[in-house]
C-alpha cells in the first residue's frame, strides 16, 4: 500500500517539481495550492508537507487546524522564511521544519524519518544486516535461521527508539530520557549495561557491533 | 492679559509661596513684635477702663515718688497741724495708700489710710512705734526695701538735715499689681507663642505638601506597568510640581508612542526580512529542484560534476541568506535571547550528532572527546546551536582539505573550555568558497550576547577555536 502525502504549496513550479520527485519515490502525492480543503484531504493522508506562505490562510493556521483535527498526523513545515521566530512558531505543532532551498533527497530523508517515527512506514519488515525486524508486531528474527530473538521490555524500547530514528545518531541522554522518561543523571551506566546485553542478543560478534553502532563521543546509531 | 497670566503663575508658584513664608519669617520680629506691643497697649487701655478709677494714680511709681518728695519739700518748716492737714488731703486722694509721718523727735504723729492697710503695715513691720529709735527706723527701712508694700519715704523739707522728721506713703502690692496688668503680659506671651507655633506649622505643612507630592511622583516613576512603562499620574495644582507631573505624563505618553512605533517598526522589519528571505529562497528552490531533475538525465560526468557544484553553491547561497538576515537582526539588537542554564556538552553532542552524517559523507575524521561531567553555562539553546552550526559549516566549507574535525574540552587557566579544531589550511588560505566572514561575525555577536568569550588560532596547519566562560560554570 503506497503512502499518501498531502502537499500544500502555492508555488506552481516548486509544487510541480517536488510532487513529481516524490511520486518517483513511490509516494502518493495530493497537491493543494492553498489551505482550502486541507482538512478533508488530510483524512486519508499519512503525512502533510506544508508551506508557510499560502494565499488565504497561512501555513501556521492551516497546520494548527490539521494538528487539532489529526493529532497523530506528522506535519513537515516547508518554508522560505527562516527566522527563529518562524521556526519556533512552526515547531509548536509541526514535527519537523525544513528551510528552502532544500535538496529533494533531504526532503525525502525527512519524510522517511517522520513516517518511521509515526509508525506509518513500519508495515514492511526491515532488513538489518543479518536481522529482519517486524516493527509492527515487535519481532526480531535471524534472517538465515528464522530464529526469533527475544528482547526484554527495556531492550525492546531502546531498539525501537533507535529504529524510529534510523540512520540518526542519538545521544545517550536522548535515549535514556525517551526510554526511561526521566532526566539523565551524570555518570549513569544503566543505558550502557542495557546496550551491552542488547548487543549480546542482536550482534553476531558483540565486540564488533554491526547493528547498534557506537559513534565515539556522541552516542549510538542503527543504520539501515 | 499676559500680565494677568504671569501674576496667576507667580501666585501659584511654589517659589513665591516659599518666599512668602521666608518674608514672613524675616518680618516676624521687626513687624510682629511692635504689632503685639500695639495690641498690648490696646488691651492695656481697655483693661485700664475696667480698673477702679483711682488705679491710674498708682500706675507711675516715679511720679508718686516725685510727688511725695515735693510735698515733703513744701512742708518744710510747717507746723505739725499743717503737716497733718496736708497728709489728710493726700490720704484722701490716695485712699488706698497708708500715710504716716514722724516728727523730728521720733514721735509718730499721724497714721492715715485704710484700716486693712495699716494692719498690713503693722503685720509686716510690726506695729508702728510711737517713738522711733534708730534701730526701729533702720528695721523699717530694711523692711521697705522689699517693696511689699511699696514704701516711699521723704524727709520733711526733703532733706535729713532739716531735722523735721519724715513722712511715709505705703502702697499695697495688690494695688500695684492691678496697675502692672500681669494678666495682659500672659496674653502677650501666649500671642507670641501662638504666632511662633503658627509659623512653624505653616512651614511644616508647606514642606509636607511638597514632600507628599514628590513622593507620589517618585512612586509613579518607579512602578512599572505590565507594558514595561510607568503609568501617567493625575496632575494637581498648576505649580512647579504640577508642571513636573504634566511633563512626566507627556514623557510617558511620548515614550509609549515611541515604543509602539518601535514595535511596529520591528514588526515591519521582521516582515520585510521574512518576505525578502522568501523572495530569495523561492527561486533558489526552483533552480535546485530543476537541477535535481537534470541529474536524473543522461549527462556526461563533467555535466554531472557541474550540476553538483551548482547544487552546492545554491546550498551555500541559502546559508548566506540565512546569515545575512540573522546578522541584520542581531546587529540591530532585535534578537531577544532566552538564556537558561544548559549543559553545553550535551548541546555539543546533539549538534555533532546532526552534523555527523555530513562529515562522514565528506570523509572527515571526527574526534569527539567531551567529559561526562556536564558543563553548565547560561546560554540560549537555539542560538548556541546556531553558533555551532556556523562553526561546523565553516569547517565543511573552508577546511575540507584537512578532513578532520575535533571537538574536545580542556582546562585552561583554571577554566573548562570548549575546543573546536580542524586541520584545514587556515583562514588566510584561498578557499574556493571563501565568504565575507559573516558566519564568524554572527558567532562573535552571539557569543558576546551570551557573555561568552572566544579565541581563534588559525595557521596553515589548521584552525582551533576556543570558547570559554569567564564567569566559570553556574
Amino acid at each position: 500500500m503506497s503512502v499518501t502525502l498531502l502537499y500544500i504549496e502555492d508555488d506552481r513550479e516548486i509544487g510541480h517539481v517536488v510532487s513529481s520527485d516524490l511520486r518517483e519515490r513511490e509516494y502518493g502525492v495530493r497537491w493543494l495550492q492553498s489551505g482550502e480543503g486541507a482538512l478533508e484531504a488530510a483524512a486519508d493522508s499519512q503525512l502533510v508537507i506544508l508551506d508557510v506562505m499560502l494565499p488565504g490562510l497561512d501555513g501556521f493556521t492551516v497546520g494548527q487546524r490539521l494538528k487539532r483535527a489529526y493529532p497523530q498526523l506528522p506535519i513537515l513545515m516547508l518554508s522560505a522564511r527562516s527566522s527563529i521566530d518562524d521556526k519556533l512558531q512552526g515547531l509548536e505543532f509541526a514535527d519537523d521544519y525544513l528551510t528552502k532551498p532544500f535538496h529533494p533527497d533531504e526532503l525525502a530523508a525527512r519524510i522517511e524519518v517522520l513516517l518511521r517515527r509515526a509508525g506509518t512506514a513500519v508495515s514492511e519488515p526491515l532488513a538489518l544486516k543479518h536481522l529482519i525486524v517486524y516493527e509492527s508486531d515487535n519481532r526480531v528474527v535471524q534472517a538465515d535461521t528464522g530464529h526469533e530473538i527475544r528482547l526484554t521490555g527495556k531492550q525492546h524500547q531502546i531498539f525501537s527508539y533507535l529504529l524510529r530514528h534510523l540512520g540518526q545518531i542519538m545521544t545517550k541522554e536522548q535515549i535514556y530520557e525517551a526510554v526511561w522518561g526521566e532526566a539523565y543523571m551524570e555518570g549513569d551506566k544503566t543505558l550502557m549495561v542495557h546496550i551491552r546485553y542488547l548487543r549480546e542478543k542482536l550482534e553476531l560478534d558483540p565486540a564488533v557491533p554491526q547493528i547498534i553502532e557506537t559513534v565515539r563521543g556522541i552516542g549510538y546509531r542503527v543504520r539501515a | 492679559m499676559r500680565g494677568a497670566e504671569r501674576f496667576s503663575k507667580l501666585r501659584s508658584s511654589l517659589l513665591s509661596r516659599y518666599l512668602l513664608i521666608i518674608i514672613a519669617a524675616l518680618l516676624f520680629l521687626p513687624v510682629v513684635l511692635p504689632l503685639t506691643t500695639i495690641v498690648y497697649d490696646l488691651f492695656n487701655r481697655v483693661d485700664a477702663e475696667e480698673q477702679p478709677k483711682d488705679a491710674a494714680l498708682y500706675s507711675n511709681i516715679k511720679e508718686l515718688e516725685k510727688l511725695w518728695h515735693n510735698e515733703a519739700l513744701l512742708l518744710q518748716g510747717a507746723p505739725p497741724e499743717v503737716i497733718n492737714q496736708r497728709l489728710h488731703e493726700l490720704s484722701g486722694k490716695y485712699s488706698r495708700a497708708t500715710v504716716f509721718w514722724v516728727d523730728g523727735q521720733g514721735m509718730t504723729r499721724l497714721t492715715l489710710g485704710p484700716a486693712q492697710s495699716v494692719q498690713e503695715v503693722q503685720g509686716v513691720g510690726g506695729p508702728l512705734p510711737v517713738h522711733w529709735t534708730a534701730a526701729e527706723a533702720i528695721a523699717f527701712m530694711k523692711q521697705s526695701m522689699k517693696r511689699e508694700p511699696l514704701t516711699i519715704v521723704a524727709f520733711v523739707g526733703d532733706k535729713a538735715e532739716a531735722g523735721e522728721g519724715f513722712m511715709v506713703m505705703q502702697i499695697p502690692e495688690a494695688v500695684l499689681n492691678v496697675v502692672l496688668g500681669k494678666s495682659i503680659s500672659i496674653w502677650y506671651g501666649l500671642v507670641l507663642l501662638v504666632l511662633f507655633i503658627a509659623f512653624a506649622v505653616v512651614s511644616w505643612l508647606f514642606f509636607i505638601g511638597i514632600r507628599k507630592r514628590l513622593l507620589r511622583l517618585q512612586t509613579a516613576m518607579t512602578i512599572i506597568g505590565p507594558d514595561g512603562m510607568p503609568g501617567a499620574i493625575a496632575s494637581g495644582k498648576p505649580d512647579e510640581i504640577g508642571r513636573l507631573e504634566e511633563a512626566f505624563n507627556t514623557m510617558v505618553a511620548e515614550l509609549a508612542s515611541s515604543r509602539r512605533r518601535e514595535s511596529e517598526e520591528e514588526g515591519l522589519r521582521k516582515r520585510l526580512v521574512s518576505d525578502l528571505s522568501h523572495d530569495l529562497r523561492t527561486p533558489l528552490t526552483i533552480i535546485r529542484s530543476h537541477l535535481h531533475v537534470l541529474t536524473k538525465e543522461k549527462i556526461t560526468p563533467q555535466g554531472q560534476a557541474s550540476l553538483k557544484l551548482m547544487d552546492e553553491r545554491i546550498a551555500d547561497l541559502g546559508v548566506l541568506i540565512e546569515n545575512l538576515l540573522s546578522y541584520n537582526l542581531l546587529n540591530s539588537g532585535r534578537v531577544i535571547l532566552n538564556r537558561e542554564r544548559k549543559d553545553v556538552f550535551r548541546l555539543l553532542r546533539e549538534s555533532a550528532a546532526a552534523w555527523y552524517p555530513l562529515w562522514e559523507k565528506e570523509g572527515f575524521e571526527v574526534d569527539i572527546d567531551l567529559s561526562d561531567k556536564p558543563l553548565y553555562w547560561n546560554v540560549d539553546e537555539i542560538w548556541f546551536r546556531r553558533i555551532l552550526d556556523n562553526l561546523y559549516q565553516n569547517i565543511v566549507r573552508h577546511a575540507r582539505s584537512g578532513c578532520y574535525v575535533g571537538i574536545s574540552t580542556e582546562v585552561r587557566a583554571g577554566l573548562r573550555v570548549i575546543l573546536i579544531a580542524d586541520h584545514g589550511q587556515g583562514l588566510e588560505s584561498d578557499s574556493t568558497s571563501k565568504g565575507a566572514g559573516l558566519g564568524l561575525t554572527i558567532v562573535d555577536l552571539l557569543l558576546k550576547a551570551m557573555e561568552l568569550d572566544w579565541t581563534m588560532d588559525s595557521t596553515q596547519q589548521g584552525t582551533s577555536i576556543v570558547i570559554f566562560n569567564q564567569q566559570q560554570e553556574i
Side-chain angles (χ1 to χ4, degrees), chain B residues 293-312:
Chain B
V293 173
L294 276 179
T295 55
K296 292 180 211 162
E297 302 293 322
K298 283 182 184 163
I299 305 174
T300 60
Q302 203 180 347
Q304 285 286 359
S306 287
L307 286 178
K308 188 170 180 278
L309 201 71
M310 281 198 266
D311 188 73
E312 280 171 8

Side-chain angles (χ1 to χ4, degrees), chain B residues 215-423:
Chain B
L215 282 178
R216 194 163 65 99
L217 199 59
Q218 188 210 9
T219 314
M221 284 175 176
T222 330
I223 296 174
I224 287 171
D227 55 349
M229 299 276 297
I233 46 173
S235 59
K237 297 170 191 167
D239 54 19
E240 282 88 341
I241 297 181
R243 286 201 290 278
L244 184 65
E245 287 165 344
E246 273 172 25
F248 173 72
N249 285 348
T250 313
M251 190 192 76
V252 168
E254 274 180 17
L255 204 61
S257 113
S258 153
R259 281 265 178 94
R260 209 168 32 248
R261 248 192 337 267
E262 202 176 295
S263 134
E264 281 167 9
E265 275 170 19
E266 196 180 326
L268 210 65
R269 193 189 179 103
K270 276 188 178 167
R271 207 160 49 245
L272 185 75
V273 163
S274 277
D275 292 349
L276 200 65
S277 168
H278 179 264
D279 294 349
L280 287 169
R281 287 168 192 274
T282 305
L284 286 179
T285 314
I286 297 167
I287 297 170
R288 205 172 186 186
S289 308
H290 283 294
L291 283 179
H292 179 70
V293 173
L294 276 179
T295 55
K296 292 180 211 162
E297 302 293 322
K298 283 182 184 163
I299 305 174
T300 60
Q302 203 180 347
Q304 285 286 359
S306 287
L307 286 178
K308 188 170 180 278
L309 201 71
M310 281 198 266
D311 188 73
E312 280 171 8
R313 289 293 169 272
I314 289 172
D316 286 352
L317 260 178
V319 172
L320 185 67
I321 292 167
E322 174 86 38
N323 278 343
L324 207 61
L325 302 178
S326 299
Y327 177 75
N328 180 27
L329 286 178
L330 277 170
N331 209 28
S332 62
R334 306 280 182 211
V335 172
I336 299 160
L337 296 182
N338 180 24
R339 291 170 68 193
E340 285 172 300
R341 184 176 179 265
K342 289 278 175 192
D343 174 13
V344 285
F345 286 167
R346 180 175 178 159
L347 298 180
L348 276 165
R349 272 193 288 269
E350 286 174 8
S351 178
W355 277 84
Y356 199 89
L358 183 66
W359 291 332
E360 215 172 24
K361 195 176 137 203
E362 298 286 338
F364 275 66
E365 180 197 338
V366 185
D367 181 14
I368 297 172
D369 185 15
L370 295 170
S371 149
D372 264 353
K373 189 185 169 201
L375 175 64
Y376 289 107
W377 287 351
N378 208 9
V379 296
D380 179 302
E381 187 179 332
I382 293 169
W383 286 106
F384 192 78
R385 284 182 197 272
R386 181 64 194 280
I387 291 171
L388 298 177
D389 283 348
N390 278 15
L391 294 177
Y392 298 156
Q393 223 148 41
N394 271 357
I395 292 174
V396 172
R397 290 169 67 204
H398 308 303
R400 198 173 282 183
S401 59
C403 275
Y404 172 85
V405 55
I407 304 167
S408 56
T409 177
E410 276 181 20
V411 176
R412 289 192 183 179
L415 297 173
R416 286 211 287 169
V417 303
I418 295 168
L419 193 71
I420 297 172
D422 65 60
H423 290 169

Side-chain angles (χ1 to χ4, degrees), chain A residues 102-119:
Chain A
F102 54 87
H103 194 282
D105 287 348
E106 192 184 354
L107 176 65
R110 298 222 187 186
I111 290 171
E112 186 69 23
V113 168
L114 285 181
L115 288 175
R116 181 161 292 283
R117 213 183 291 170

Side-chain angles (χ1 to χ4, degrees), chain B residues 111-153:
Chain B
T111 306
L112 296 167
Q116 205 179 346
S117 294
V118 175
Q119 276 169 8
E120 269 179 15
V121 171
Q122 286 170 347
V124 173
L128 287 174
V130 179
H131 186 264
W132 292 66
T133 61
E136 279 165 339
I138 289 167
F140 179 77
M141 287 314 289
K142 207 174 167 187
Q143 185 63 39
S144 305
M145 300 277 281
K146 293 178 183 169
R147 295 174 67 106
E148 291 170 2
L150 177 76
T151 305
I152 304 168
V153 180

